[in-house]
Amino acid sequence: MITSGLIGISINNANTKHTMLKFEFKNPTKIKFGKGQIESLSKEIPANAKVLMLYGGGSIKTNGIYEQIKNALKDFQVVEFGGIPANPEYAVLMQALEIIKKENITYLLAVGGGSVIDGTKFLSAAALYTGNNPWELLAKRIDKGMPFGTVLTLPATGSEMNSGAVITRSETKEKLAMGGPGLFPEFSILDPTVVQSIPQKQLANGITDAFTHVLEQYMTYPTEAFLQDRFSESILQTLIEIAPRIMKDPSDYAAASNFMWCCTMALNGLIKNGVPTDWATHMIGHELTASFGIDHARTLAIITPNLYNYKFDAKKEKLAQYADRVWGIKDGSIDEKAHAAIKKTELFFHSLGIKTKLSEYTNDYKGTAESIAKRFTDRGWMGLGERRDIKPSDVEKIVTMSY
Ligand code: NZQ
Ligand code: ZN
């Protein structure tokens, strides 16, 4: 199975009492947070660099971010590459790779959300790759890449402070993760004022993605990792608190700041230290994006509640703790609290306007469960989740429950 630096999976026996697991932690990304930080971009890039500025479908041209960047980089040699689509597409990235080589680019600057940043990470690795099939980078650990920085325009993925990327290849309907210690951004600029131009749909996606990132690293089994649990619970509580504010008014700077920092903290490696992690929802969700083009976060909202119902016994202790500490559900047995927590999670997604059934996104869902299970079997992904016990046949059942 492909795992990146950020998706470390640890296995433990189901019946023993667990304590905190061994871990190593290094995150070298410099964060520059706050209003006006884009102006200081020039201080972060080597003076003699030849920069390739990468961006998406054009939102930065209408919300003023493009001008701010051009202004900040006026003394640099800058080549531009726009048009990286949501779910960064391999074929488009290969065009950017040609420019990197032809123009002798020495520094990459991603200006965008997870898709542009992930695409830039792929290019950082591809620029130094000497083989003839860059797609194979998705199966390798990347220890060194071309240096790059980011200006985040959409809080959601945490890609701005981690070393993972997810790349899509529409030709083969594949969406796969890659990563390694060589793919951390050197710096990331987080200016919460960028949030004001984000459409409702993407705000909802960002909250849902970050929320699920925390759940993937928390909803496993107890390991007496008291601090990590409370880090996770505090991110969840903060997202719940700011969600209605940011959905109502994305120019609410206080809400935008907290939203942005929650998304970064949800997946920068901090909360996974010493605890088991799941990530099965993400693995299954990527298949729904690859097959139907459903937004990443929405695929997570489809799978999460069903995966928890299916793995109820294995997860109920943490579900009950989450019910109590995050949702304030104090009464009832462990089972009752755990069931109530799954319901609350689904209602939270609904409150953001996010639907949680596959059939609400496509009519063409028949056979999806079987085909995802087959893909996992073909790739040798025989056991997902914190206990590596979610087999392709279980994936098939979870996806069927999600129709
Ligand atoms: O392309 P443009 O025109 O810029 O519009 C984008 C895009 O259409 C728009 N947008 C971004 N910033 C905006 C804005 N619109 C108005 N104002 C702004 N300030 O938002 C749309 C979606 O952008 P995208 O980058 O695709 O969204 P997101 O950040 O949710 O990234 C999703 C991708 O990241 C991967 C997902 O699988 C997916 O491919 N992930 C990456 C992870 C990582 N590297 O750690 C972890 C995640 O679990 C996830 O898998
Ligand atoms: Zn995600």
Side-chain angles (χ1 to χ4, degrees), residues 258-321:
N258 283 288
F259 170 37
M260 196 171 235
W261 192 224
C262 279
C263 293
T264 304
M265 292 299 286
L267 197 50
N268 66 0
L270 180 74
I271 64 173
K272 81 166 164 64
N273 291 324
V275 298
T277 55
D278 180 342
W279 295 111
T281 294
H282 269 70
M283 307 297 228
I284 301 170
H286 289 332
E287 298 305 314
L288 298 180
T289 303
S291 299
F292 303 110
I294 302 170
D295 290 352
H296 169 64
R298 288 163 202 256
T299 68
L300 308 176
I302 294 168
I303 299 300
T304 300
N306 297 299
L307 189 133
Y308 292 172
N309 280 320
Y310 188 77
K311 297 297 292 176
F312 188 79
D313 284 332
K315 290 183 182 286
K316 66 183 181 186
E317 278 183 70
K318 287 303 282 286
L319 277 163
Q321 178 179 316

Short mmCIF file of all heavy atoms in Angstrom, two decimals, residues 258-321:
data_model
loop_
_atom_site.label_atom_id
_atom_site.label_comp_id
_atom_site.label_asym_id
_atom_site.label_seq_id
_atom_site.Cartn_x
_atom_site.Cartn_y
_atom_site.Cartn_z
N ASN A 258 -9.18 31.39 12.29
CA ASN A 258 -9.29 30.11 13.01
C ASN A 258 -9.53 28.95 12.06
O ASN A 258 -8.98 27.86 12.23
CB ASN A 258 -10.41 30.19 14.05
CG ASN A 258 -9.96 30.98 15.28
OD1 ASN A 258 -9.15 30.50 16.06
ND2 ASN A 258 -10.45 32.20 15.42
N PHE A 259 -10.34 29.20 11.05
CA PHE A 259 -10.60 28.18 10.03
C PHE A 259 -9.28 27.76 9.38
O PHE A 259 -8.93 26.57 9.28
CB PHE A 259 -11.59 28.78 9.02
CG PHE A 259 -11.82 28.00 7.75
CD1 PHE A 259 -11.87 26.61 7.76
CD2 PHE A 259 -12.03 28.67 6.54
CE1 PHE A 259 -12.11 25.90 6.58
CE2 PHE A 259 -12.27 27.98 5.37
CZ PHE A 259 -12.30 26.59 5.38
N MET A 260 -8.52 28.75 8.97
CA MET A 260 -7.27 28.47 8.26
C MET A 260 -6.28 27.69 9.13
O MET A 260 -5.69 26.70 8.70
CB MET A 260 -6.66 29.80 7.78
CG MET A 260 -5.61 29.64 6.72
SD MET A 260 -5.17 31.26 6.06
CE MET A 260 -5.45 30.99 4.31
N TRP A 261 -6.14 28.13 10.36
CA TRP A 261 -5.14 27.49 11.23
C TRP A 261 -5.60 26.08 11.63
O TRP A 261 -4.79 25.16 11.73
CB TRP A 261 -4.86 28.39 12.43
CG TRP A 261 -3.67 27.99 13.25
CD1 TRP A 261 -3.60 27.93 14.61
CD2 TRP A 261 -2.34 27.64 12.78
NE1 TRP A 261 -2.34 27.55 15.01
CE2 TRP A 261 -1.55 27.36 13.91
CE3 TRP A 261 -1.76 27.52 11.52
CZ2 TRP A 261 -0.21 26.97 13.83
CZ3 TRP A 261 -0.42 27.12 11.42
CH2 TRP A 261 0.33 26.86 12.56
N CYS A 262 -6.90 25.90 11.80
CA CYS A 262 -7.41 24.55 12.09
C CYS A 262 -7.07 23.59 10.95
O CYS A 262 -6.65 22.45 11.18
CB CYS A 262 -8.94 24.55 12.22
SG CYS A 262 -9.54 25.08 13.82
N CYS A 263 -7.28 24.05 9.72
CA CYS A 263 -7.04 23.16 8.57
C CYS A 263 -5.57 22.77 8.50
O CYS A 263 -5.24 21.62 8.22
CB CYS A 263 -7.46 23.84 7.27
SG CYS A 263 -9.23 24.09 7.14
N THR A 264 -4.68 23.73 8.77
CA THR A 264 -3.25 23.41 8.74
C THR A 264 -2.89 22.45 9.86
O THR A 264 -2.21 21.44 9.65
CB THR A 264 -2.42 24.71 8.87
OG1 THR A 264 -2.80 25.60 7.83
CG2 THR A 264 -0.93 24.43 8.78
N MET A 265 -3.38 22.73 11.05
CA MET A 265 -3.03 21.90 12.21
C MET A 265 -3.62 20.50 12.12
O MET A 265 -3.13 19.56 12.75
CB MET A 265 -3.51 22.59 13.50
CG MET A 265 -2.76 23.85 13.83
SD MET A 265 -0.99 23.58 14.09
CE MET A 265 -1.01 22.79 15.69
N ALA A 266 -4.70 20.37 11.36
CA ALA A 266 -5.35 19.05 11.25
C ALA A 266 -4.49 18.04 10.51
O ALA A 266 -4.66 16.84 10.68
CB ALA A 266 -6.70 19.21 10.53
N LEU A 267 -3.57 18.53 9.66
CA LEU A 267 -2.77 17.56 8.89
C LEU A 267 -1.33 18.02 8.67
O LEU A 267 -0.80 17.97 7.57
CB LEU A 267 -3.47 17.26 7.55
CG LEU A 267 -3.01 16.00 6.80
CD1 LEU A 267 -2.99 14.76 7.67
CD2 LEU A 267 -3.86 15.74 5.57
N ASN A 268 -0.71 18.49 9.75
CA ASN A 268 0.72 18.83 9.62
C ASN A 268 1.59 17.85 10.41
O ASN A 268 2.77 18.11 10.64
CB ASN A 268 0.99 20.28 10.05
CG ASN A 268 0.74 20.50 11.52
OD1 ASN A 268 0.36 19.58 12.25
ND2 ASN A 268 0.95 21.72 11.98
N GLY A 269 1.02 16.74 10.81
CA GLY A 269 1.80 15.69 11.47
C GLY A 269 1.71 15.72 12.98
O GLY A 269 2.02 14.73 13.64
N LEU A 270 1.27 16.85 13.57
CA LEU A 270 1.30 16.97 15.03
C LEU A 270 0.38 15.96 15.71
O LEU A 270 0.79 15.26 16.64
CB LEU A 270 0.88 18.40 15.43
CG LEU A 270 0.88 18.65 16.93
CD1 LEU A 270 2.30 18.76 17.47
CD2 LEU A 270 0.10 19.91 17.27
N ILE A 271 -0.86 15.87 15.25
CA ILE A 271 -1.83 15.08 16.02
C ILE A 271 -1.70 13.58 15.78
O ILE A 271 -2.30 12.79 16.49
CB ILE A 271 -3.30 15.55 15.79
CG1 ILE A 271 -3.74 15.33 14.34
CG2 ILE A 271 -3.46 17.00 16.20
CD1 ILE A 271 -5.23 15.63 14.11
N LYS A 272 -0.90 13.19 14.80
CA LYS A 272 -0.75 11.74 14.57
C LYS A 272 0.37 11.12 15.40
O LYS A 272 0.53 9.91 15.46
CB LYS A 272 -0.52 11.45 13.09
CG LYS A 272 0.91 11.64 12.61
CD LYS A 272 1.09 11.00 11.24
CE LYS A 272 2.32 11.44 10.50
NZ LYS A 272 3.60 11.12 11.08
N ASN A 273 1.17 11.97 16.05
CA ASN A 273 2.31 11.43 16.78
C ASN A 273 1.89 10.48 17.90
O ASN A 273 1.12 10.84 18.79
CB ASN A 273 3.12 12.57 17.40
CG ASN A 273 3.83 13.38 16.34
OD1 ASN A 273 4.27 12.83 15.34
ND2 ASN A 273 3.90 14.70 16.53
N GLY A 274 2.40 9.28 17.83
CA GLY A 274 2.18 8.34 18.93
C GLY A 274 0.82 7.70 18.99
O GLY A 274 0.50 7.02 19.97
N VAL A 275 -0.01 7.93 17.97
CA VAL A 275 -1.35 7.30 17.99
C VAL A 275 -1.57 6.52 16.69
O VAL A 275 -0.97 6.82 15.67
CB VAL A 275 -2.48 8.36 18.15
CG1 VAL A 275 -2.34 9.10 19.48
CG2 VAL A 275 -2.51 9.34 16.99
N PRO A 276 -2.44 5.51 16.73
CA PRO A 276 -2.76 4.80 15.49
C PRO A 276 -3.59 5.69 14.57
O PRO A 276 -4.29 6.59 15.06
CB PRO A 276 -3.60 3.61 15.96
CG PRO A 276 -4.10 3.99 17.31
CD PRO A 276 -3.16 4.99 17.89
N THR A 277 -3.49 5.48 13.27
CA THR A 277 -4.29 6.28 12.34
C THR A 277 -5.03 5.35 11.38
O THR A 277 -4.62 4.23 11.14
CB THR A 277 -3.40 7.25 11.54
OG1 THR A 277 -2.38 6.52 10.87
CG2 THR A 277 -2.77 8.29 12.43
N ASP A 278 -6.15 5.85 10.87
CA ASP A 278 -7.06 5.01 10.10
C ASP A 278 -6.84 5.20 8.59
O ASP A 278 -6.28 4.34 7.93
CB ASP A 278 -8.50 5.37 10.52
CG ASP A 278 -9.57 4.58 9.80
OD1 ASP A 278 -9.27 3.99 8.75
OD2 ASP A 278 -10.72 4.54 10.26
N TRP A 279 -7.29 6.29 8.02
CA TRP A 279 -7.15 6.69 6.62
C TRP A 279 -7.94 5.85 5.62
O TRP A 279 -7.87 6.08 4.42
CB TRP A 279 -5.68 6.81 6.18
CG TRP A 279 -4.98 7.90 6.92
CD1 TRP A 279 -3.99 7.77 7.86
CD2 TRP A 279 -5.24 9.32 6.82
NE1 TRP A 279 -3.63 9.00 8.36
CE2 TRP A 279 -4.39 9.96 7.75
CE3 TRP A 279 -6.13 10.09 6.07
CZ2 TRP A 279 -4.38 11.35 7.93
CZ3 TRP A 279 -6.13 11.47 6.24
CH2 TRP A 279 -5.26 12.08 7.17
N ALA A 280 -8.74 4.88 6.08
CA ALA A 280 -9.51 4.07 5.13
C ALA A 280 -10.55 4.92 4.40
O ALA A 280 -10.80 4.72 3.21
CB ALA A 280 -10.18 2.90 5.85
N THR A 281 -11.15 5.87 5.13
CA THR A 281 -12.15 6.73 4.48
C THR A 281 -11.52 7.47 3.31
O THR A 281 -12.12 7.58 2.23
CB THR A 281 -12.72 7.73 5.51
OG1 THR A 281 -13.45 6.99 6.49
CG2 THR A 281 -13.63 8.76 4.86
N HIS A 282 -10.30 7.99 3.51
CA HIS A 282 -9.64 8.70 2.41
C HIS A 282 -9.34 7.77 1.23
O HIS A 282 -9.54 8.14 0.07
CB HIS A 282 -8.35 9.37 2.90
CG HIS A 282 -8.58 10.77 3.37
ND1 HIS A 282 -9.27 11.06 4.52
CD2 HIS A 282 -8.23 11.97 2.83
CE1 HIS A 282 -9.34 12.37 4.66
NE2 HIS A 282 -8.70 12.95 3.65
N MET A 283 -8.85 6.57 1.54
CA MET A 283 -8.50 5.63 0.46
C MET A 283 -9.74 5.31 -0.38
O MET A 283 -9.68 5.25 -1.61
CB MET A 283 -7.96 4.31 1.02
CG MET A 283 -6.82 4.46 1.98
SD MET A 283 -5.40 5.16 1.22
CE MET A 283 -4.15 4.08 1.76
N ILE A 284 -10.88 5.09 0.29
CA ILE A 284 -12.11 4.76 -0.43
C ILE A 284 -12.63 6.02 -1.15
O ILE A 284 -13.04 5.97 -2.31
CB ILE A 284 -13.19 4.20 0.53
CG1 ILE A 284 -12.66 2.94 1.24
CG2 ILE A 284 -14.48 3.89 -0.22
CD1 ILE A 284 -13.55 2.45 2.40
N GLY A 285 -12.58 7.14 -0.43
CA GLY A 285 -13.07 8.40 -1.01
C GLY A 285 -12.36 8.75 -2.31
O GLY A 285 -13.00 9.21 -3.28
N HIS A 286 -11.04 8.54 -2.37
CA HIS A 286 -10.30 8.88 -3.60
C HIS A 286 -10.86 8.12 -4.80
O HIS A 286 -10.86 8.63 -5.93
CB HIS A 286 -8.81 8.54 -3.44
CG HIS A 286 -8.08 9.46 -2.50
ND1 HIS A 286 -8.46 10.76 -2.27
CD2 HIS A 286 -6.99 9.26 -1.71
CE1 HIS A 286 -7.64 11.32 -1.39
NE2 HIS A 286 -6.75 10.42 -1.03
N GLU A 287 -11.35 6.91 -4.56
CA GLU A 287 -11.92 6.13 -5.67
C GLU A 287 -13.22 6.78 -6.17
O GLU A 287 -13.52 6.74 -7.36
CB GLU A 287 -12.20 4.69 -5.24
CG GLU A 287 -10.96 3.93 -4.81
CD GLU A 287 -9.87 3.93 -5.89
OE1 GLU A 287 -10.21 3.67 -7.06
OE2 GLU A 287 -8.70 4.18 -5.55
N LEU A 288 -14.00 7.36 -5.26
CA LEU A 288 -15.24 8.02 -5.68
C LEU A 288 -14.94 9.28 -6.50
O LEU A 288 -15.65 9.60 -7.45
CB LEU A 288 -16.11 8.37 -4.47
CG LEU A 288 -16.59 7.18 -3.62
CD1 LEU A 288 -17.44 7.67 -2.45
CD2 LEU A 288 -17.38 6.17 -4.46
N THR A 289 -13.86 9.98 -6.13
CA THR A 289 -13.46 11.14 -6.96
C THR A 289 -12.96 10.65 -8.31
O THR A 289 -13.34 11.21 -9.35
CB THR A 289 -12.35 11.96 -6.26
OG1 THR A 289 -12.83 12.38 -4.98
CG2 THR A 289 -11.98 13.19 -7.08
N ALA A 290 -12.15 9.60 -8.31
CA ALA A 290 -11.60 9.10 -9.58
C ALA A 290 -12.72 8.62 -10.50
O ALA A 290 -12.67 8.83 -11.71
CB ALA A 290 -10.61 7.97 -9.31
N SER A 291 -13.76 7.99 -9.95
CA SER A 291 -14.82 7.44 -10.80
C SER A 291 -15.86 8.48 -11.20
O SER A 291 -16.39 8.43 -12.30
CB SER A 291 -15.56 6.31 -10.06
OG SER A 291 -14.69 5.28 -9.75
N PHE A 292 -16.21 9.39 -10.28
CA PHE A 292 -17.35 10.28 -10.54
C PHE A 292 -17.01 11.76 -10.49
O PHE A 292 -17.88 12.60 -10.69
CB PHE A 292 -18.47 10.01 -9.51
CG PHE A 292 -18.94 8.58 -9.49
CD1 PHE A 292 -18.66 7.76 -8.40
CD2 PHE A 292 -19.65 8.05 -10.55
CE1 PHE A 292 -19.08 6.44 -8.38
CE2 PHE A 292 -20.08 6.73 -10.55
CZ PHE A 292 -19.79 5.91 -9.46
N GLY A 293 -15.77 12.10 -10.14
CA GLY A 293 -15.39 13.51 -10.05
C GLY A 293 -16.01 14.22 -8.85
O GLY A 293 -16.05 15.45 -8.80
N ILE A 294 -16.50 13.47 -7.87
CA ILE A 294 -17.10 14.10 -6.68
C ILE A 294 -15.98 14.80 -5.89
O ILE A 294 -14.89 14.24 -5.73
CB ILE A 294 -17.78 13.03 -5.78
CG1 ILE A 294 -18.86 12.29 -6.59
CG2 ILE A 294 -18.38 13.65 -4.52
CD1 ILE A 294 -19.41 11.06 -5.87
N ASP A 295 -16.28 16.02 -5.39
CA ASP A 295 -15.26 16.77 -4.63
C ASP A 295 -14.72 15.89 -3.50
O ASP A 295 -15.48 15.20 -2.81
CB ASP A 295 -15.88 18.02 -3.98
CG ASP A 295 -16.25 19.08 -5.00
OD1 ASP A 295 -15.89 18.93 -6.18
OD2 ASP A 295 -16.93 20.05 -4.60
N HIS A 296 -13.41 16.02 -3.26
CA HIS A 296 -12.73 15.19 -2.25
C HIS A 296 -13.49 15.16 -0.92
O HIS A 296 -13.81 14.09 -0.39
CB HIS A 296 -11.30 15.70 -2.07
CG HIS A 296 -10.61 15.10 -0.89
ND1 HIS A 296 -10.35 13.76 -0.80
CD2 HIS A 296 -10.18 15.65 0.28
CE1 HIS A 296 -9.76 13.51 0.36
NE2 HIS A 296 -9.64 14.64 1.02
N ALA A 297 -13.79 16.34 -0.38
CA ALA A 297 -14.40 16.40 0.96
C ALA A 297 -15.75 15.68 0.98
O ALA A 297 -16.12 15.05 1.98
CB ALA A 297 -14.58 17.85 1.38
N ARG A 298 -16.48 15.79 -0.13
CA ARG A 298 -17.82 15.18 -0.16
C ARG A 298 -17.73 13.66 -0.16
O ARG A 298 -18.58 12.97 0.41
CB ARG A 298 -18.62 15.72 -1.35
CG ARG A 298 -19.00 17.17 -1.06
CD ARG A 298 -19.43 18.01 -2.23
NE ARG A 298 -19.23 19.40 -1.83
CZ ARG A 298 -20.20 20.24 -1.46
NH1 ARG A 298 -21.46 19.88 -1.50
NH2 ARG A 298 -19.90 21.47 -1.04
N THR A 299 -16.68 13.12 -0.77
CA THR A 299 -16.51 11.67 -0.73
C THR A 299 -16.29 11.21 0.72
O THR A 299 -16.73 10.13 1.11
CB THR A 299 -15.32 11.20 -1.59
OG1 THR A 299 -14.08 11.63 -1.00
CG2 THR A 299 -15.41 11.70 -3.02
N LEU A 300 -15.63 12.05 1.50
CA LEU A 300 -15.36 11.68 2.91
C LEU A 300 -16.66 11.69 3.71
O LEU A 300 -16.88 10.82 4.57
CB LEU A 300 -14.36 12.67 3.52
CG LEU A 300 -13.06 12.88 2.73
CD1 LEU A 300 -12.21 13.96 3.39
CD2 LEU A 300 -12.27 11.58 2.60
N ALA A 301 -17.51 12.67 3.42
CA ALA A 301 -18.80 12.75 4.13
C ALA A 301 -19.70 11.57 3.77
O ALA A 301 -20.51 11.13 4.59
CB ALA A 301 -19.49 14.08 3.79
N ILE A 302 -19.53 11.04 2.57
CA ILE A 302 -20.31 9.87 2.16
C ILE A 302 -19.86 8.62 2.93
O ILE A 302 -20.66 7.81 3.39
CB ILE A 302 -20.16 9.62 0.63
CG1 ILE A 302 -20.79 10.77 -0.17
CG2 ILE A 302 -20.76 8.28 0.21
CD1 ILE A 302 -20.43 10.76 -1.68
N ILE A 303 -18.55 8.47 3.07
CA ILE A 303 -18.01 7.23 3.63
C ILE A 303 -17.93 7.23 5.17
O ILE A 303 -18.22 6.21 5.81
CB ILE A 303 -16.60 6.94 3.04
CG1 ILE A 303 -16.67 6.77 1.51
CG2 ILE A 303 -15.96 5.70 3.69
CD1 ILE A 303 -17.56 5.64 1.03
N THR A 304 -17.55 8.35 5.76
CA THR A 304 -17.26 8.37 7.21
C THR A 304 -18.34 7.72 8.08
O THR A 304 -18.06 6.79 8.84
CB THR A 304 -16.97 9.81 7.69
OG1 THR A 304 -15.84 10.30 6.97
CG2 THR A 304 -16.67 9.87 9.18
N PRO A 305 -19.61 8.18 8.00
CA PRO A 305 -20.61 7.62 8.93
C PRO A 305 -20.79 6.12 8.73
O PRO A 305 -20.99 5.37 9.70
CB PRO A 305 -21.89 8.38 8.57
CG PRO A 305 -21.45 9.60 7.83
CD PRO A 305 -20.18 9.23 7.13
N ASN A 306 -20.70 5.67 7.49
CA ASN A 306 -20.92 4.24 7.21
C ASN A 306 -19.74 3.40 7.67
O ASN A 306 -19.93 2.30 8.19
CB ASN A 306 -21.21 4.04 5.73
CG ASN A 306 -22.48 4.77 5.34
OD1 ASN A 306 -23.54 4.46 5.86
ND2 ASN A 306 -22.36 5.78 4.51
N LEU A 307 -18.54 3.94 7.50
CA LEU A 307 -17.37 3.21 7.99
C LEU A 307 -17.46 3.06 9.52
O LEU A 307 -17.16 2.01 10.07
CB LEU A 307 -16.10 3.93 7.57
CG LEU A 307 -14.82 3.15 7.85
CD1 LEU A 307 -13.90 3.19 6.62
CD2 LEU A 307 -14.05 3.65 9.04
N TYR A 308 -17.91 4.11 10.19
CA TYR A 308 -18.01 4.03 11.66
C TYR A 308 -19.11 3.06 12.08
O TYR A 308 -18.97 2.35 13.07
CB TYR A 308 -18.26 5.42 12.27
CG TYR A 308 -17.07 6.36 12.13
CD1 TYR A 308 -17.18 7.70 12.46
CD2 TYR A 308 -15.84 5.89 11.67
CE1 TYR A 308 -16.08 8.56 12.34
CE2 TYR A 308 -14.76 6.74 11.53
CZ TYR A 308 -14.89 8.07 11.86
OH TYR A 308 -13.81 8.91 11.74
N ASN A 309 -20.21 3.04 11.34
CA ASN A 309 -21.25 2.06 11.66
C ASN A 309 -20.74 0.64 11.43
O ASN A 309 -20.99 -0.27 12.22
CB ASN A 309 -22.51 2.30 10.81
CG ASN A 309 -23.35 3.43 11.39
OD1 ASN A 309 -23.50 3.53 12.61
ND2 ASN A 309 -23.88 4.29 10.55
N TYR A 310 -19.98 0.46 10.35
CA TYR A 310 -19.49 -0.89 10.02
C TYR A 310 -18.42 -1.35 11.02
O TYR A 310 -18.40 -2.52 11.41
CB TYR A 310 -18.91 -0.87 8.59
CG TYR A 310 -18.56 -2.25 8.09
CD1 TYR A 310 -19.56 -3.13 7.65
CD2 TYR A 310 -17.24 -2.69 8.07
CE1 TYR A 310 -19.24 -4.41 7.21
CE2 TYR A 310 -16.92 -3.97 7.62
CZ TYR A 310 -17.92 -4.82 7.20
OH TYR A 310 -17.61 -6.08 6.76
N LYS A 311 -17.56 -0.43 11.45
CA LYS A 311 -16.48 -0.79 12.39
C LYS A 311 -16.84 -0.37 13.82
O LYS A 311 -15.97 -0.01 14.62
CB LYS A 311 -15.17 -0.10 11.97
CG LYS A 311 -14.63 -0.51 10.63
CD LYS A 311 -14.26 -1.98 10.56
CE LYS A 311 -13.08 -2.35 11.39
NZ LYS A 311 -12.82 -3.81 11.36
N PHE A 312 -18.13 -0.41 14.10
CA PHE A 312 -18.64 0.15 15.36
C PHE A 312 -17.91 -0.39 16.60
O PHE A 312 -17.45 0.37 17.45
CB PHE A 312 -20.15 -0.08 15.46
CG PHE A 312 -20.78 0.62 16.62
CD1 PHE A 312 -21.07 1.98 16.54
CD2 PHE A 312 -21.06 -0.04 17.80
CE1 PHE A 312 -21.63 2.66 17.62
CE2 PHE A 312 -21.61 0.63 18.89
CZ PHE A 312 -21.90 1.97 18.79
N ASP A 313 -17.82 -1.71 16.71
CA ASP A 313 -17.24 -2.29 17.93
C ASP A 313 -15.78 -1.88 18.12
O ASP A 313 -15.33 -1.63 19.24
CB ASP A 313 -17.36 -3.81 17.92
CG ASP A 313 -18.79 -4.22 18.23
OD1 ASP A 313 -19.49 -3.45 18.92
OD2 ASP A 313 -19.23 -5.29 17.73
N ALA A 314 -15.05 -1.80 17.00
CA ALA A 314 -13.63 -1.46 17.10
C ALA A 314 -13.42 0.01 17.47
O ALA A 314 -12.38 0.38 18.01
CB ALA A 314 -12.94 -1.76 15.77
N LYS A 315 -14.40 0.86 17.16
CA LYS A 315 -14.20 2.29 17.34
C LYS A 315 -15.07 2.90 18.43
O LYS A 315 -14.99 4.11 18.68
CB LYS A 315 -14.48 3.02 16.01
CG LYS A 315 -13.44 2.76 14.93
CD LYS A 315 -13.76 3.58 13.67
CE LYS A 315 -12.78 3.33 12.55
NZ LYS A 315 -11.46 3.94 12.75
N LYS A 316 -15.91 2.09 19.07
CA LYS A 316 -16.93 2.72 19.92
C LYS A 316 -16.38 3.45 21.14
O LYS A 316 -16.97 4.44 21.57
CB LYS A 316 -18.01 1.72 20.31
CG LYS A 316 -17.58 0.60 21.21
CD LYS A 316 -18.77 -0.34 21.42
CE LYS A 316 -18.39 -1.47 22.34
NZ LYS A 316 -19.48 -2.45 22.45
N GLU A 317 -15.23 3.00 21.64
CA GLU A 317 -14.70 3.72 22.82
C GLU A 317 -14.32 5.15 22.46
O GLU A 317 -14.62 6.09 23.19
CB GLU A 317 -13.47 3.00 23.36
CG GLU A 317 -13.82 1.84 24.26
CD GLU A 317 -12.57 1.21 24.84
OE1 GLU A 317 -11.92 1.85 25.69
OE2 GLU A 317 -12.24 0.09 24.41
N LYS A 318 -13.64 5.31 21.33
CA LYS A 318 -13.25 6.67 20.92
C LYS A 318 -14.48 7.45 20.44
O LYS A 318 -14.58 8.66 20.67
CB LYS A 318 -12.17 6.65 19.83
CG LYS A 318 -10.79 6.26 20.28
CD LYS A 318 -10.19 7.14 21.39
CE LYS A 318 -9.63 8.47 21.00
NZ LYS A 318 -8.36 8.44 20.29
N LEU A 319 -15.42 6.76 19.81
CA LEU A 319 -16.65 7.45 19.40
C LEU A 319 -17.38 8.02 20.61
O LEU A 319 -17.88 9.15 20.59
CB LEU A 319 -17.58 6.48 18.64
CG LEU A 319 -17.28 6.27 17.16
CD1 LEU A 319 -17.98 5.01 16.64
CD2 LEU A 319 -17.70 7.49 16.31
N ALA A 320 -17.42 7.24 21.69
CA ALA A 320 -18.12 7.70 22.90
C ALA A 320 -17.37 8.88 23.55
O ALA A 320 -17.98 9.83 24.03
CB ALA A 320 -18.27 6.55 23.88
N GLN A 321 -16.04 8.81 23.52
CA GLN A 321 -15.24 9.92 24.08
C GLN A 321 -15.48 11.21 23.27
O GLN A 321 -15.62 12.31 23.83
CB GLN A 321 -13.76 9.54 24.04
CG GLN A 321 -12.83 10.64 24.54
CD GLN A 321 -11.36 10.22 24.50
OE1 GLN A 321 -11.02 9.11 24.89
NE2 GLN A 321 -10.50 11.10 24.01
#
